[in-house]
Amino acid sequence: MTTLWLAMAGGLIGMIVACLPGVHVYQVMGLIFLWGTAALTEVFGGSAWMLPVVTGLLVGYAGLGAVPSVLASAPDDSAFFTVLPGQRLLMEGRGYEAIFLTIAGSLAGLVGVVVVFGLIGPRLLPLVRTVLSPHFHWLLWLTVLFMLMSEWPRELAPMQGGWRRLLTAWRSLGMGLVTFGLSGWLGFILLFRHPGGAERAFMGLGPALMGLFAIPGLLLNLVSRTRIPPQPCLAMPVPPVDTWWRAIAAGMLGGGIGAFLPVVTGGVGALLAGHTMGHRDSRGFLISQGAARMVYYAGGFLFLVMPGLGMVRGGAAGMVRTFGWIPGPVDYLQVLGALCMSGALLALIPAPMVRGMMTLTLRIGLRRLSVGGLVLLGILIAVSSGWPGIRVAVVAAGIGLIPPLFGTRRMNALGVLLIPLGCRLSGVDGRVAEWLGLL
Amino acid sequence: MTLPSRRPKHPPADAPDSRDAFCPSCERFIGPADVCPYCDCDSARSPWWRHLRMVALCLAVGGLALLHAAAQRQVPERVEIRCVGPAMQYGWVRIEGTLVERPLMRQESEAAAYVAFWVDDGTGRIRVWAEGPVAAELYRDGRLNRTGSRLDITGMVGMGRDRRPRIQVLHDAHLAPAITRDKSPGSP
């Protein structure tokens, strides 16, 4: 019974965190582990509190991740694809529709995680890992290659052929590659010589991720002239059944790849889901993004306790494993139960929370909301990583501003993880760091 | 050829300001382009928007260069082994301690080389390891041959399968004989 209550508490906190523009659940989780591990372990007589609380946090956060993306353009590293279609609907006065479609996709993804991964995962996935693990590194680099090559020139309006047209076409593409390279450089610095020192190094990537993905959107809100139109909460047209099936299947596939392959994050999983789904139907696209995000977060965490697998994927699994979790015989069932319980909460609670956030945004305006978000992020980064964390976040925000200002994909900023960790997976990280003068 | 879309003549009163997507001169859709490809109007964006681009680029490149320079000059924190904990994962630390037993070494090839050993500094004991060319170099030059020798080690903290912290040596120059006075337990 305690497990269920803890899962619900975690779910509620996760949903609140998800509604705060720019705040990442891993940062909050890190602070919980840093300050609360000793007390909670004493209260609950061991590490049994960790799994349900973390499961709840992840489900709540993944479920309502569309709220800051759609309302404030402040996604995390796995929700940036929801920004454009979500904001388009928001500007048409259909913000509720965008958010609830993503939440519905998340719920469908959660059902998929529990049913598909829960039932056949323990039999199938250990075998898949055994077969694939020697190939993870080149699979990762192929995924990166696809990610970079699948970007297209957006400024290619009709104009006379020649150098000017070529340069115009390559400007946004080139800036995408620049973003990828710069964020990879930042990733190497953070991985090998984090300016924040060793004391809280496990949270070292948090300021960079917030700077790359959340802060640029909030900063641009401050200088943009965008006014959110009224958002009537009317009956929404339900997408056709085949759209649902295609979207959920695409989201499961994309999120599953993101959760299973090392280093490939939810953002890349969302890209794969998006390409599987296509951009023809923005509503189906949003459903697939919600499903991919949930499968990435919840599925990735389930892999930690899956019998025969025990795989660490994602920051949450890493923190649980690091901070004294002692594996038990019922861990798998405990996490499945916590997924169901927090999923039930996700089905019940979001409507008033989303309505509250929407009302707040419309009442105080996007600029004030963004100022509040920036202040909150500043406090969180200062508390978790101190002054060095602020420095990292500022530089990361500079890199993160390039994609929206030059019309390229925000996803290119994922180079912060993909390049250094991909090099590590290929066994060349030391050589690259030495070449960069970081060793 | 499909004609480019034009700005709607009568947008709703509450419609977002779409000046950023349409040319202010000919009102054709130009996306994020600075110069309109149809009429060459260069005021498609407000000037400060371009300044913001320059600010972002300067902040990114200049800031990274400064972070890089600071990182290169950063001296790893010297810590006692008992202080190395889970929160230091991925942290860059320096310890000084005694090699307490013969290292475990494996070297089928340079790429597959592996070396691991325990170090004690009087406050605790920690496993230190290296792999690949670094391990092969440590194996070759015999720095780890003498049990009881005092070592100065710099490396990255990680968590082992036994859920205890351990330190990875990433460069062979990061493991050297300590030059301070031997204070290991049991030493004279």
Side-chain angles (χ1 to χ4, degrees), chain A residues 34 91 154-155 157-159 164 171 175 178 182-183 185-186 189-202 220 223-227 229-230 318 321-327 391-392 394-395 397-399 401-402 404-407 424 429-431 434 436-439, chain B residues 1-2 4 13-17 19-20 29-38 40 46 48-49 52-57 59-61 63-65 67-68 70-77 79 86-93 110 133 156 159-163 168 170-171 174:
Chain A
L34 196 64
M91 290 308 174
R154 294 180 196 171
E155 297 182 14
M159 61 194 289
R164 192 176 157 203
R171 192 173 62 170
M175 291 319 287
V178 166
L182 289 177
S183 57
W185 182 11
L186 176 66
I189 294 172
L190 297 181
L191 192 65
F192 283 90
R193 291 283 176 101
H194 195 286
E199 209 173 308
R200 292 180 184 180
F202 81 106
L220 290 178
V223 297
S224 76
R225 295 159 297 187
T226 307
R227 281 184 298 111
R321 192 168 166 274
T322 299
F323 278 88
W325 162 63
I326 298 162
R391 282 201 318 250
V392 169
V394 169
V395 175
I399 301 171
L401 275 169
I402 296 174
L405 291 177
F406 287 88
R424 173 162 287 188
D429 57 328
R431 278 183 215 170
E434 196 176 351
L436 288 170
L438 294 170
L439 277 184
Chain B
M1 192 180 77
T2 322
D14 55 359
D17 193 336
R19 268 174 289 180
D20 284 346
F29 180 79
I30 58 165
D34 277 338
V35 179
C36 174
Y38 308 105
D40 281 341
S46 58
W48 65 262
W49 187 265
L52 198 60
R53 286 179 170 182
M54 291 313 297
V55 169
L57 268 179
L59 188 62
V61 178
L64 258 181
L67 268 186
H68 190 102
Q72 283 181 319
R73 283 158 186 75
Q74 191 185 359
V75 180
E77 285 176 51
V79 294
M88 286 189 174
Q89 193 173 19
Y90 307 121
W92 191 243
V93 296
E110 185 170 291
M156 189 189 286
M159 298 300 287
R161 286 188 181 278
D162 56 358
R163 293 178 173 76
Q168 183 185 6
L170 294 164
H171 195 282
H174 292 165

Side-chain angles (χ1 to χ4, degrees), chain A residues 431 434, chain B residues 103 105-117 129-145 169-176:
Chain A
R431 278 183 215 170
E434 196 176 351
Chain B
M105 288 182 174
R106 193 186 64 214
Q107 192 181 25
E108 286 103 28
S109 66
E110 185 170 291
Y114 178 83
V115 60
F117 50 94
W129 67 287
E131 63 180 355
V134 179
E137 181 61 29
L138 295 177
Y139 183 77
R140 250 196 309 271
D141 75 356
R143 258 175 279 185
L144 300 170
N145 284 352
V169 180
L170 294 164
H171 195 282
D172 60 282
H174 292 165
L175 192 150

Side-chain angles (χ1 to χ4, degrees), chain A residues 88-314:
Chain A
R88 194 178 305 138
L89 289 178
L90 182 76
M91 290 308 174
E92 291 170 10
R94 295 159 66 195
Y96 281 114
E97 188 181 344
I99 293 172
F100 282 119
L101 282 174
T102 318
I103 295 173
S106 297
L107 279 169
L110 186 61
V111 172
V113 167
V114 174
V115 174
V116 180
F117 287 179
L119 291 180
I120 63 168
R123 286 163 190 251
L124 188 67
L125 291 179
L127 181 69
V128 175
R129 187 185 58 170
T130 307
V131 173
L132 286 185
S133 47
H135 308 285
F136 275 156
H137 63 286
W138 66 262
L139 283 173
L140 169 70
W141 289 116
L142 276 185
T143 313
V144 170
L145 197 65
F146 173 73
M147 178 185 124
L148 295 176
M149 289 185 69
S150 59
E151 183 149 27
W152 66 96
R154 294 180 196 171
E155 297 182 14
L156 210 58
M159 61 194 289
Q160 198 172 1
W163 284 108
R164 192 176 157 203
R165 182 176 161 89
L166 184 70
L167 289 175
T168 307
W170 266 96
R171 192 173 62 170
S172 63
L173 299 181
M175 291 319 287
L177 295 176
V178 166
T179 307
F180 189 69
L182 289 177
S183 57
W185 182 11
L186 176 66
F188 261 102
I189 294 172
L190 297 181
L191 192 65
F192 283 90
R193 291 283 176 101
H194 195 286
E199 209 173 308
R200 292 180 184 180
F202 81 106
M203 289 198 285
L205 271 174
L209 290 176
M210 287 193 259
L212 287 168
F213 296 102
I215 294 176
L218 296 174
L219 285 175
L220 290 178
N221 287 342
L222 294 183
V223 297
S224 76
R225 295 159 297 187
T226 307
R227 281 184 298 111
I228 300 177
Q231 305 289 322
C233 193
L234 305 171
M236 301 163 199
V238 179
V241 176
D242 67 316
T243 302
W244 280 98
W245 282 116
R246 279 179 53 222
I248 293 164
M252 287 284 294
L253 184 69
I257 291 172
F260 196 79
L261 285 182
V263 191
V264 176
T265 64
V268 183
L271 167 83
L272 300 174
H275 272 267
T276 315
M277 186 63 207
H279 289 267
R280 283 162 292 183
D281 180 1
S282 62
R283 294 188 302 164
F285 182 76
L286 285 169
I287 296 169
S288 75
Q289 293 299 306
R293 187 174 151 88
M294 181 60 80
V295 172
Y296 168 69
Y297 278 110
F301 188 65
L302 188 65
F303 292 160
L304 177 71
V305 292
M306 192 173 277
L309 196 63
M311 210 161 62
V312 177
R313 291 287 183 267

